[in-house]
Amino acid sequence: DADVTQTPRNRITKTGKRIMLECSQTKGHDRMYWYRQDPGLGLRLIYYSFDVKDINKGEISDGYSVSRQAQAKFSLSLESAIPNQTALYFCATSRGSNTEAFFGQGTRLTVV
Amino acid sequence: GNSVTQMEGPVTLSEEAFLTINCTYTATGYPSLFWYVQYPGEGLQLLLKATKADDKGSNKGFEATYRKETTSFHLEKGSVQVSDSAVYFCALSGGSNYKLTFGKGTLLTVNP
């Protein structure tokens, strides 16, 4: 089984709908992250969490919210999806600063 | 803030050719440097890392040396294979406030 699991893997949704992307990890890491990948733009950080009670905005948090339900679970919500949120979304975890991150396999989201 | 600039692609090589993908960074303090690889349809996985100046990271025939004087971490491989075809991301992580900052990625295609 994967150490970092994202669900769903693919999703098509309509403009204005609320959608949640889920991430769970078995690494035992405190730190979890949500990134968005767009062609030519690399990965951009949406939100990150250092522990269950610590949530921080990344560089592109507008239009997104997150919930850290437990050490192992970190979900990303789009309250009212719009087409320019069509992208590949990655969850990642790490043990601490200056250490490597472990990524899930990604969720391909299409907003029509 | 921190930033990573890497060579724009796409890069197309023949099998057994020499590969260099340039990466330079801007950061305060002493960041850790990483190369991640993304194979088609998959998430990112760590290829190699270096945590201090003059360290050389290596894995699967790939190498990169942490050069503080030139703020660079160029990826090299002496003889590429078709199976190396992927997107390569340079990244850094540093400071007490973790933020893994990525370059925009370089698509490598290796032809037989």
Side-chain angles (χ1 to χ4, degrees), chain B residues 25 27-31 52-54 65-72:
Chain B
Y25 68 90
T28 56
Y30 302 93
K52 61 182 186 295
D54 299 325
T65 301
Y66 189 149
R67 300 288 188 198
K68 191 167 178 62
E69 64 276 14
T70 54
T71 62
S72 65

Side-chain angles (χ1 to χ4, degrees), chain A residues 26-98:
Chain A
T26 59
K27 301 290 289 183
H29 293 163
D30 285 329
R31 301 183 178 211
M32 298 187 73
Y33 316 86
W34 277 103
Y35 288 89
R36 167 178 172 161
Q37 183 179 18
D38 297 276
L41 296 179
L43 273 78
R44 294 180 291 168
L45 183 63
I46 306 172
Y47 270 96
Y48 60 104
S49 170
F50 285 174
D51 63 41
V52 175
K53 296 182 180 179
D54 181 74
I55 304 287
N56 303 279
K57 292 183 177 180
E59 54 187 307
I60 55 162
S61 59
D62 286 350
Y64 301 94
S65 63
V66 291
S67 174
R68 185 81 185 267
Q69 300 94 327
Q71 186 206 37
K73 295 184 182 296
F74 192 38
S75 59
L76 176 72
S77 293
L78 287 67
E79 297 301 326
S80 179
I82 56 177
N84 75 2
Q85 291 177 314
T86 293
L88 187 55
Y89 290 85
F90 286 103
C91 175
T93 75
S94 73
R95 181 167 44 84
S97 62
N98 288 18

Side-chain angles (χ1 to χ4, degrees), chain A residues 37-43, chain B residues 4-8 87-90 102-106:
Chain A
Q37 183 179 18
D38 297 276
L41 296 179
L43 273 78
Chain B
V4 175
T5 302
Q6 68 179 96
M7 175 176 157
E8 289 191 17
V87 181
Y88 292 82
F89 292 91
C90 184
F102 287 88
K104 293 184 178 181
T106 301

Side-chain angles (χ1 to χ4, degrees), chain A residues 31 33 37 48 98 100-101, chain B residues 36 38 46 93-94 97-98 100:
Chain A
R31 301 183 178 211
Y33 316 86
Q37 183 179 18
Y48 60 104
N98 288 18
E100 68 183 278
Chain B
Y36 284 83
Q38 183 181 28
L46 181 69
S93 172
N97 188 10
Y98 173 97
L100 187 59

Side-chain angles (χ1 to χ4, degrees), chain B residues 5-41:
Chain B
T5 302
Q6 68 179 96
M7 175 176 157
E8 289 191 17
V11 174
T12 302
L13 297 173
S14 297
E15 204 164 25
E16 299 184 2
F18 183 84
L19 169 71
T20 299
I21 301 177
N22 291 336
C23 172
T24 58
Y25 68 90
T26 301
T28 56
Y30 302 93
S32 294
L33 301 175
F34 307 88
W35 277 100
Y36 284 83
V37 58
Q38 183 181 28
Y39 298 105

